[in-house]
């Protein structure tokens, strides 16, 4: 109920009925449902209704998400400047990955990923980072729900091969989409880690495979990892460590 969210004080059923033009009995039924789900809270003394804990948590999550986008933007721009490719930021979203932001280079051939769009985990660079950070049982649960569907001839469709790929991601500290989601497109991403070493977001690049070639992957992956690690430090997501120590640790 937007009236409760925008109000400066708790509201009673009579006030809400008048504001919304609905019968008090209808308002009461709606409020009972919203209260049960935690979106609305009823004061036990005044019997008035106010914002519930779920609304507060949603607001907090949205603030943190958009604050992260704002603070990471300079690092996305540095990725674009260094690599000449499109830079992106993504987070885990249920059994998918959601792109939060993208910056493009000034070239004729560019990759476009609309912020808010989602992608499968097993066939994307950002998704592999999140899967590699999860316990095997959680990965298995996700794959059992969504499957391993072939999107291109390069898509991983074997559970054993996916496990090997995720172990490679953990060891090298970055993930690659080698034309697995779309033919002609190659992507690289590195994790933004918090102080506990958990992946909270993925920072990476995407480009046409004819320009972002396999030969360039070692060089470009170093740029992606270095910028992602520095972003985590400067955003106070990681504890201070001697320079280069995180690069040696890989994805742990």
């Amino acid at each position: 109920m937007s009236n409760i969210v925008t109000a400066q004080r708790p509201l009673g059923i009579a006030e809400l009925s008048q504001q919304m033009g609905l019968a008090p009995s209808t308002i009461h039924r709606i409020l009972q449902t919203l209260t049960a789900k935690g979106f609305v809270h009823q004061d036990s003394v005044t019997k008035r209704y106010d914002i519930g804990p779920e609304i507060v948590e949603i607001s907090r999550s949205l603030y943190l998400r958009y604050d992260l986008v704002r603070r990471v933007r300079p690092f996305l721009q540095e990725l674009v400047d260094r690599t000449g490719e499109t830079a992106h930021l993504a987070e885990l979203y249920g059994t998918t990955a959601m792109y939060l932001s993208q910056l493009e280079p000034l070239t004729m051939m560019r990759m476009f990923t609309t912020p808010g769009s989602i992608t499968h985990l097993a066939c994307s660079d950002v998704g592999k980072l999140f899967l590699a950070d999860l316990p095997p049982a959680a990965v298995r649960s996700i794959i059992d729900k969504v499957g391993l569907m072939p999107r291109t001839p390069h898509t991983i469709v074997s559970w054993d091969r996916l496990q090997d790929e995720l172990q490679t991601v953990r060891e090298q500290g970055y993930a690659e989409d080698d034309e697995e989601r779309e033919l002609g497109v190659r992507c690289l991403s590195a994790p933004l880690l918090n102080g506990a070493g958990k992946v909270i977001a993925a920072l990476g690049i995407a480009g046409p495979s004819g320009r972002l070639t396999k030969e360039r992957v070692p060089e470009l992956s170093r740029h992606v990892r270095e910028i992602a690690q520095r972003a985590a430090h400067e955003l106070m997501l990681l504890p201070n460590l001697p320079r280069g120590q995180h690069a040696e640790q890989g994805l742990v």
Side-chain angles (χ1 to χ4, degrees):
M1 278 190 171
S2 60
N3 301 64
I4 292 177
V5 173
T6 57
Q8 300 298 311
R9 58 184 175 79
L11 299 175
I13 289 179
E15 290 175 288
L16 288 167
S17 174
Q18 184 177 16
Q19 290 178 13
M20 301 182 69
L22 297 174
S25 59
T26 302
I27 295 293
H28 182 263
R29 286 197 301 272
I30 294 172
L31 289 172
Q32 289 296 103
T33 300
L34 294 175
T35 299
K37 294 183 177 297
F39 294 116
V40 169
H41 169 74
Q42 184 184 29
D43 188 283
S44 60
V45 177
T46 66
K47 304 302 181 183
R48 290 175 174 269
Y49 294 86
D50 204 349
I51 296 172
E54 287 299 318
I55 293 292
V56 173
E57 183 59 31
I58 290 171
S59 299
R60 176 179 175 275
S61 297
L62 287 173
Y63 170 79
L64 291 175
R65 177 179 295 171
Y66 290 113
D67 185 57
L68 177 65
V69 170
R70 177 184 62 82
R71 296 170 69 193
V72 168
R73 189 175 180 85
F75 298 100
L76 289 177
Q77 186 61 61
E78 185 175 354
L79 264 180
V80 172
D81 295 340
R82 277 210 211 175
T83 67
E85 304 295 349
T86 298
H88 53 250
L89 174 72
E91 70 171 3
L92 184 64
Y93 184 70
T95 59
T96 65
M98 177 188 289
Y99 290 96
L100 302 180
S101 185
Q102 173 186 285
L103 286 181
E104 303 150 16
L106 298 176
T107 57
M108 291 294 291
M109 294 182 63
R110 292 173 282 177
M111 301 296 104
F112 296 93
T113 303
T114 305
S117 62
I118 60 176
T119 183
H120 292 287
L121 298 179
C123 65
S124 63
D125 53 317
V126 294
K128 290 177 188 177
L129 285 177
F130 297 124
L131 288 177
D133 193 51
L134 295 174
V139 177
R140 181 84 242 193
S141 177
I142 290 173
I143 299 306
D144 286 344
K145 288 179 182 177
V146 303
L148 291 171
M149 302 299 293
R151 296 175 62 89
T152 77
H154 306 288
T155 305
I156 294 174
V157 294
S158 159
W159 169 249
D160 289 339
R161 187 180 164 205
L162 177 62
Q163 288 183 298
D164 291 342
E165 178 77 0
L166 298 182
Q167 183 58 35
T168 298
V169 171
R170 297 183 190 103
E171 292 172 356
Q172 66 188 13
Y174 71 90
E176 180 180 355
D177 167 5
D178 187 10
E179 300 187 79
E180 298 163 52
R181 185 175 39 156
E182 184 175 346
L183 286 175
V185 178
R186 182 170 286 117
C187 311
L188 304 170
S189 286
L192 284 178
L193 302 175
N194 65 12
K198 302 299 292 180
V199 180
I200 64 164
L203 190 70
I205 58 173
S209 56
R211 188 173 67 212
L212 203 167
T213 62
K214 291 291 288 183
E215 290 73 23
R216 295 186 68 203
V217 167
E219 172 200 356
L220 294 176
S221 65
R222 284 194 295 272
H223 290 309
V224 172
R225 290 186 66 197
E226 188 271 318
I227 292 174
Q229 290 162 9
R230 184 154 43 80
H233 280 294
E234 295 190 20
L235 297 178
M236 300 182 69
L237 301 174
L238 280 173
N240 290 325
L241 290 178
R243 185 176 182 83
Q245 186 168 334
H246 285 297
E248 297 168 3
Q249 290 180 337
L251 228 184
V252 294

